[in-house]
């Protein structure tokens, strides 16, 4: 497989564990059939050329979010660094919530992040639903071996019998029915002879186990539901805790990495695979489940269900709304795959749940774009400036580097003329203390241009400033010998009014006002930031007319912006603010 190199793969407890596995030669005898399969099929294959096998197993019930990126970078990153492979497996065993749209979205997102799942001639793109037949055969095997039974209690009966954390459960009255009876019922369930909820298949483990997951967990239930891939071929569907370990074992996964909430499920994972290995269906060493702390990111939610709710209630503009921390949203916002991978490297992997500050993600974007994004000038809140001593029709050309750190990227040119747009906040009729920009009598430099002295302003009947007047010092132009004769403290940006490109700019901010909008089960909708999107008509450097969709720029003094990949038209780009130049949330001022 190929995957982008990570700048520094810092060690963590999972790497330590893999190092130990590899130095003990734990996987030395593994064989691979070239596709998922049973022990006998793998034994007939070749020695497995993948040193380790991990997998990323999304459920196709929504678009991936920044939390998934952590899991993707971890699983694909380990495979890359250890000479292994990471499978992409759709965990699509729940027919009700899944959809082809999400399958396509997930494939695109993982590729966009820079990873792929091929290894030699193996595609390694799998669907748990392709294992339905196998999963069912194992269910019959478990019944015949005495490890599972059909329970004919209803849901309430099953719940009541499970007990509590402090009280043991009680055995179902059907627990000891003969295997032949369970088997006959299981086949009838599969054949659609029984109503939903009338029977389930359960593992026979221990109703008194202190671990609730081992109190005869349900393995199969009846669902007359259309599946996005298997249609109506099945009316019984396996539970996650049953399908997942078996999918891992069929795929020869060595390290099955999941989030901490599955820690208590690990004994069931192991129980099931041990029973199937005892039956000769799988060889040891079996896949090993390893848990790590999920990503919680402040000022957002990392749950497909909650993100979906925002989409459905139209509180955002779809899954790829640039305020959403889905991968499609981040992409549209202007995030690069490199920035997201850098973020995942920086936050690392641990066993302790914590919240990561949104500022860490934003800083990763700045750090990635700083050396890459070309500079440009944008006036977001335009105010007219008239240079009164500049001839009416004269147009001259100013130049500036495309990127100060990369002189080889050359110079950009833009015209200067008598009327310019400047930022409204760069003029003050009565300057506050310490204000170095334009005010009557003061001199500033027009960035990449001349020095000007403010001579006054015009106002409308409400007292709003409509036009600022200034005189230009002809011998002060940047890059000429005279420039040094002027010592000015202010340096303001501008664009020529007659040449400027007028464009829509969307000034995005965090979607939520509160650092932990859904902590403790709270309704995150109460914490929505009403000012998370402000749209302005801005005046831009004319060359931005040619910006291509997804091209990123640093608008000087304002931040990083991207040409929107959906709404930009040839010659008429629309820009999204990806991130401001500095983190202004901590100081109480909003970017
Ligand atoms: P959600 O609740 O958002 O739907 P999920 O865990 O149900 O998340 P899956 O599609 O099942 O979504 O997740 C695929 C993989 O991504 C799983 O291995 C899961 O552990 C991992 N994952 C999901 N959310 C996070 C997160 N916030 N941090 C790290 N890994 C995550
Ligand atoms: Mg899930």
């Amino acid at each position: 497989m190929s995957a982008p190199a990570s700048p520094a793969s810092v060690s963590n407890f999972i790497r330590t564990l893999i190092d130990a596995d590899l130095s003990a030669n734990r996987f030395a005898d593994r064989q691979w059939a070239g596709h998922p399969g049973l022990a006998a099929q793998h034994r007939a294959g070749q020695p497995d050329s993948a040193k380790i096998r991990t997998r990323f197993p999304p459920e196709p019930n929504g678009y991936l979010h920044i939390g998934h990126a952590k899991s993707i970078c971890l699983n694909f990153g380990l495979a890359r660094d250890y000479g292994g492979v990471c499978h992409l497996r759709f965990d699509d065993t729940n027919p009700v919530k899944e959809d082809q749209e999400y399958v396509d979205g997930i494939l695109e997102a993982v590729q966009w992040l820079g990873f792929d799942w091929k290894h030699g001639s193996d595609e390694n793109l799998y669907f748990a639903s392709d294992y339905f037949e196998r999963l069912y055969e194992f269910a019959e095997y478990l019944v015949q071996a005495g490890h599972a039974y059909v329970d004919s209690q209803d849901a309430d009966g099953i719940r009541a019998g499970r007990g509590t954390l402090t009280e043991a459960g009680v055995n179902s009255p059907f627990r000891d029915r003969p295997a032949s009876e369970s088997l006959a019922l299981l086949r009838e369930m599969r054949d659609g002879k029984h109503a939903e909820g009338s029977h389930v298949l359960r593992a026979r483990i221990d109703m008194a186990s202190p671990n609730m997951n081992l109190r005869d967990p349900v393995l199969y239930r009846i669902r007359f539901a259309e599946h996005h891939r298997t249609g109506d071929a099945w009316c019984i569907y396996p539970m996650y805790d049953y399908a997942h370990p078996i999918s891992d074992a069929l795929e020869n996964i060595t390290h099955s990495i999941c989030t901490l909430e599955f820690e208590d499920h690990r004994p069931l994972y192991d129980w099931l695979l041990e029973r199937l290995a005892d039956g000769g269906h799988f060889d040891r060493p079996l896949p090993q489940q390893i848990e790590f702390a999920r990503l919680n990111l402040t000022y957002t939610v990392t749950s497909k269900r909650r993100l979906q709710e925002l989409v459905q209630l139209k509180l955002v503009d779809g899954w790829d709304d640039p305020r959403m921390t889905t991968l499609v949203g981040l992409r549209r916002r202007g995030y690069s795959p490199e920035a997201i991978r850098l973020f995942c490297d920086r936050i690392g992997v641990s066993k302790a749940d914590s919240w990561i500050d949104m500022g860490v993600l934003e800083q990763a974007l700045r750090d990635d774009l700083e050396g890459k994004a070309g500079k440009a000038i944008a006036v977001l809140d335009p105010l007219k400036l008239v240079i009164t001593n500049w001839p009416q029709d004269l147009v001259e050309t100013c130049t500036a580097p495309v990127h100060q750190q990369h002189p080889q990227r050359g110079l950009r040119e833009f015209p200067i003329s008598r009327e310019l747009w400047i930022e409204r906040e760069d003029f003050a009729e009565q300057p506050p203390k310490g204000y170095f920009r334009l005010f009557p009598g003061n001199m500033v430099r027009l960035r990449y241009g001349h020095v000007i002295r403010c001579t006054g302003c015009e106002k409308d009947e409400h007292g709003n400033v409509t036009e600022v007047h200034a005189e230009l010092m002809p011998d002060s132009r940047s890059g000429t010998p005279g420039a040094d004769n002027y010592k000015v403290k202010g340096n303001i940006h501008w664009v020529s009014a007659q040449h400027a490109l007028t464009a829509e700019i969307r000034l995005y901010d965090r979607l939520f006002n509160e650092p932990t909008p859904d902590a403790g089960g709270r309704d995150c909708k109460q914490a929505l930031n009403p000012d998370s999107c402000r749209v302005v008509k801005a005046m831009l450097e004319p060359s931005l007319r040619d910006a291509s969709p997804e091209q990123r720029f640093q608008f000087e003094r304002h931040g990083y912006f991207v040409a929107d990949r959906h709404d930009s038209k040839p010659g008429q780009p629309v820009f999204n603010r990806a991130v401001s130049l500095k983190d202004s949330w901590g100081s109480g001022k909003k970017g």
Side-chain angles (χ1 to χ4, degrees), residues 67-88:
H68 294 111
K70 177 176 181 179
S71 176
I72 293 168
C73 290
L74 174 61
N75 281 294
F76 284 92
L78 290 170
R80 169 196 63 210
D81 294 348
Y82 284 98
V85 57
C86 180
H87 299 182
L88 179 59

Side-chain angles (χ1 to χ4, degrees), residues 57-59 61 68 91 97 240 259 261-262 304:
E59 188 179 351
N61 61 350
H68 294 111
D91 219 325
K97 297 178 293 180
Y240 173 89
T259 43
E261 62 269 27
F262 291 99
K304 268 184 267 162

